[in-house]
Amino acid sequence: MIKSKIIRRSSAPKLLCWPGGLLWVALVFLGNQAAMASTGHDDIVSLRRLTQEQYRQTIADIFGDDIEISARLEPDPRREGLIAIGTAQASVSASGFEQYDAAARQIAEQVTDLAHRELLIGCKPVNTQAADDRCARTFFSRAGRFLYRRALNEAELERFVGIARKGAKVGKDFYWGLSLSLSAMLETAPFLFRVERATWQGDGYRLDDYSTASRISFLIWNAPPDEVLLSAAENGSLRTDNGLHREIDRLLASPRYEKGVRAFFNDMLALDDLLALQKDPTIYPRYSAKLASDAREQTLRTIVDTLLRRDQDYRAVFTTRHTFFSRALGFLYSEPVTSPSGWEARELAAGDPRAGILAQPAFLMAHSHPGRSSPTLRGKALRELILCQSVPAPPPNVDFALVQNVSDPNFATARQRLTAHNTEPMCVACHKLMDPLGLPLESFDGAAGMRMTENGAEIDLSGSLHNQSFIGAAGLGATLAKDGAAASCLINRLYSYGAGRAPEQQDSERIDAIYEQYAERGFNLTKLLRTIALSREFYSPPPVEISADQVAIQQGDKS
């Protein structure tokens, strides 16, 4: 947290009205001032703010699933195609500090309440109306190790025990003081940010043991290290090939691996965008927020089923006919769903054009306009999300009136409207990249409903990719499955997701080697993840520039 933000927060009336509010501000400020200096900050190579999901998962892992977090958290920024990269460039805004403050208090109050304290605190004070340094030290030694993803040093431990001591004296309640101190810990940078440090290890800089443990755990589980992995970091076994192999194989064999896969593809495919998606109800009366949410879940279930349970080639996600229906999706697909749980596995018929994840409602609805489909948006998404290619933004003075007029009798279909629009020289180059991939999906409207005509005219579903022609969504999926760019993009995204940065020139040789191994192993996701995680180069971060906000987080803003 940035010092100037804490100073502003200290003048907030609601904080001053809270018992001990001024004391809390002073203690949080002092904690943050010293937190990043605990082991020196010259060796910090990366600061990655926890995503909302990682924040919630961390609290659930440490304190239990029944700890509620109703407070809103700082939005996750997306950069270069991934939230995982965006959080490496993010700090905490003034409003974000307010949100983390509310969440921290809510969590701390629950952890120390009558329903949880006996299980979660791990000790009992001699007198509940007074400070007990021994019990506070026991709690923060254990909880702090998981919250900071490393052991607390003596200065940090004494700091939080001291906050609890002062709080207990002010409130005449040991648990109130403990809650005060825990909420302060939950607002420090070492918790809110994944702090990666590097040390010299003979032949070059490598992430230190705790940073290595966190990078492995968040890559595979999208969650902080567990007790076993933290112990491996502490005893130095992650520095050995056998120790690293053992821990990576253990994480990949865990049921939690499925959550990690879901988190990665949710980020790669920007599926969270569906949660805020809106459609014109007069044009698409069947559309609802529930349908969008179920569409997101369908795609994630399909991916997990294809790549983990069936252990298939990654490229099979573009052609698979095995999927899952909820009742809302069954209505869209005109397939009855009778399961009490609301989800049923289905195998689409051989001639069904909706094979593969790109013909599923999640992709089709997300990359359309509120009142119409969009071959251009769909083609752009395919280029950027699936093929890792960049498509320039349109010039500011482009006239889209012709494309947007779906009622013009002279241009009945999207293909006809785009053909006329692309006579403008400034539009041709980019549309050649996007439209041939999006037009084959025109058998689906903006809410993923099937159609074969538009305004009474038959829809032409022909398309092309890298000089390969195909017809319709099934043809698009089959072409992508044969094209090396989609498989290569997965490596790029997975490496970036784990490292928190886009691959640089010095990474290219290693990524090429990973691709060769990936191809030899049948484009298997689990084997690819294992290859990346076992690569020592993956833990050798290149020199990076840390932003002004991140410097402020490390050193304290002097303004």
Side-chain angles (χ1 to χ4, degrees), residues 24-62:
W24 178 84
V25 171
L27 294 174
V28 172
F29 168 74
L30 291 173
N32 277 286
Q33 187 77 344
M36 297 303 291
S38 60
T39 61
H41 51 252
D42 291 340
D43 56 351
I44 293 177
V45 294
S46 174
L47 292 170
R48 303 170 63 181
R49 201 183 72 205
L50 293 181
T51 66
Q52 296 187 48
E53 184 177 354
Q54 290 166 354
Y55 182 106
R56 296 176 187 280
Q57 188 61 57
T58 296
I59 297 304
D61 285 355
I62 298 171

Side-chain angles (χ1 to χ4, degrees), residues 421-433:
H421 171 73
N422 291 343
T423 56
E424 298 185 35
M426 69 180 71
C427 302
V428 175
C430 290
H431 279 279
K432 281 186 176 179
L433 288 174

